[in-house]
């Protein structure tokens, strides 16, 4: 399967690694050359670490890397069967990229967004064939997090939804199909976690480090709310 990833930042580079590991032919696209270079060297480091840990061998590292090419022209994604967009969280910019992309790809190509919170129906509305649009929402870091939310918009065809779910399962992920509502499932449930933590801080009950430590040691969370907000990035969350 040919997979085009749009945006080679935190999420795009992780999703590219997942797809390449599943033996897809991946083209990772970004307008920023520096971001492409960073994605390439970050993947080298990650795979070397996996070799050190004994999880993969050099042959596997080479296989994954040879499945990915780095491109700076959206037209290069024209032979994609599936594209997943992971650029800046801005509806107008995403819509512009989607409508341009549609002029290059075949009619069968699925055009997906990894948006955390924007309406998939609004993004789909930028396409001539909105039934090919779907949300495919990975969590950070994509190669480690098992869950992926798949979000059909009101326009999404059943065929596109079914194909998307099958593909993500083939990539060894656990799929949750969610309705196209703000925050989908996980981010919606997580909002009160962040919100209450901010309130606890604002009321002077404890500082950031104490709240994080309490949630980790008593609450059993892997990361405290402030650590998690920093990790995800408040601008994209
Ligand atoms: N960071 C997270 O934890 C997380 C988790 C799930 C989903 N998301 C979503 O994934 C998307 C990307 O988030 P991120 O954290 O990877 O962002 P990021 O800032 O790390 O990467 C975005 C990349 O997109 C590129 N870009 C920006 N505009 C572009 C354009 N018009 N064409 C091509 N490339 C462009 C940038 O150069 C950058 O490399 C957002 O929609 C975000 O909501 C983020």
């Amino acid at each position: 399967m040919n997979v085009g990833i749009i945006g080679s930042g935190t999420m795009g580079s992780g999703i590219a690694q997942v797809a390449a590991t599943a033996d897809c032919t991946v083209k990772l696209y970004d307008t920023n050359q520096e971001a492409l270079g960073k994605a390439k060297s970050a993947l080298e480091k990650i795979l070397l670490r996996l070799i050190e840990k004994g999880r993969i061998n050099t042959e596997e590292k080479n296989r994954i890397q040879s499945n990915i090419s780095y491109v700076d022209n959206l037209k290069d994604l024209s032979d994609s069967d599936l594209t997943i967009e992971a650029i800046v969280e801005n509806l107008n910019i995403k819509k512009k990229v989607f409508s341009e992309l549609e002029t290059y790809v075949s009619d069968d190509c699925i055009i997906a967004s990894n948006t955390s919170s924007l309406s998939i129906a609004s993004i789909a509305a930028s396409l001539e064939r909105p039934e090919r649009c779907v949300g495919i929402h990975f969590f950070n870091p994509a190669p480690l997090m098992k869950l992926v939310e798949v979000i059909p918009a009101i326009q999404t065809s059943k065929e596109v939804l079914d194909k998307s779910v099958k593909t993500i399962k083939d990539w060894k992920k656990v799929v949750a199909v969610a309705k196209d509502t703000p925050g989908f499932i996980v981010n919606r449930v997580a909002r009160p976690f962040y919100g209450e933590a901010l309130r606890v801080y604002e009321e002077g009950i404890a500082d950031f480090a104490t709240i994080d430590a309490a949630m980790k040691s008593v609450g059993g969370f892997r990361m405290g709310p402030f650590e998690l907000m920093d990790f995800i990035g408040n601008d994209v969350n």
Side-chain angles (χ1 to χ4, degrees):
M1 176 185 240
N2 290 338
V3 178
I5 309 284
I6 305 164
S8 68
T10 308
M11 295 309 295
S13 56
I15 298 166
Q17 183 188 335
V18 172
T21 304
D23 226 13
C24 295
T25 302
V26 180
K27 285 182 187 161
L28 183 55
Y29 160 76
D30 206 291
T31 43
N32 181 341
Q33 281 291 344
E34 210 183 309
L36 285 172
K38 253 173 97 178
K40 196 172 182 177
S41 54
L43 180 64
E44 170 76 13
K45 271 194 210 145
I46 289 166
L47 296 178
L48 284 174
R49 217 175 312 135
L50 289 178
I51 291 179
E52 262 171 42
K53 288 183 180 170
R55 303 252 178 88
I56 61 170
N57 56 25
T58 311
E59 203 182 309
E60 176 70 349
K61 172 178 175 286
N62 293 341
R63 183 188 70 81
I64 295 169
Q65 284 174 311
S66 67
N67 280 340
I68 306 182
S69 50
Y70 298 81
V71 301
D72 60 4
N73 191 332
L74 195 57
K75 254 189 199 165
D76 290 328
L77 306 190
S78 61
D79 62 352
S80 302
D81 303 302
L82 165 69
T83 62
I84 303 177
E85 164 276 317
I87 64 168
V88 61
E89 188 76 329
N90 176 305
L91 181 60
N92 287 332
I93 299 177
K94 286 190 197 284
K95 284 172 90 166
K96 202 163 159 265
V97 171
F98 272 51
S99 61
E100 185 187 340
L101 176 69
E102 195 177 30
T103 64
Y104 304 136
V105 294
S106 75
D107 282 355
D108 303 331
C109 175
I110 295 176
I111 300 184
S113 175
N114 185 57
T115 180
S116 293
S117 52
L118 298 173
S119 147
I120 306 300
S122 303
I123 299 173
S126 63
L127 298 176
E128 295 284 332
R129 301 189 61 226
E131 65 276 12
R132 60 158 89 204
C133 185
V134 66
I136 299 185
H137 182 226
F138 286 80
F139 294 86
N140 185 14
L144 296 182
M145 301 296 277
K146 279 275 168 216
L147 184 72
V148 176
E149 292 172 332
V150 175
I151 307 109
I154 41 166
Q155 304 99 317
T156 310
S157 72
K158 181 160 185 327
E159 191 195 347
V160 166
L161 172 63
D162 291 348
K163 262 194 196 169
S164 304
V165 167
K166 183 180 181 309
T167 301
I168 300 305
K169 283 185 178 167
D170 287 347
W171 293 1
K172 307 232 162 41
K173 295 292 182 187
V174 174
V175 171
V177 175
K179 277 200 176 159
D180 186 18
T181 53
F184 315 127
I185 303 171
V186 173
N187 281 338
R188 180 161 168 189
V189 171
R191 284 294 179 274
F193 177 63
Y194 305 129
E196 274 311 301
L198 287 162
R199 235 170 260 130
V200 168
Y201 170 74
E202 278 168 10
E203 289 171 16
I205 295 167
D207 61 19
F208 298 151
T210 307
I211 299 167
D212 277 351
M215 293 310 291
K216 283 196 283 190
S217 65
V218 184
F221 285 81
R222 249 180 128 153
M223 290 174 115
F226 294 97
E227 238 181 311
L228 192 52
M229 281 186 270
D230 281 343
F231 181 68
I232 294 170
N234 286 310
D235 54 340
V236 293
N237 193 25

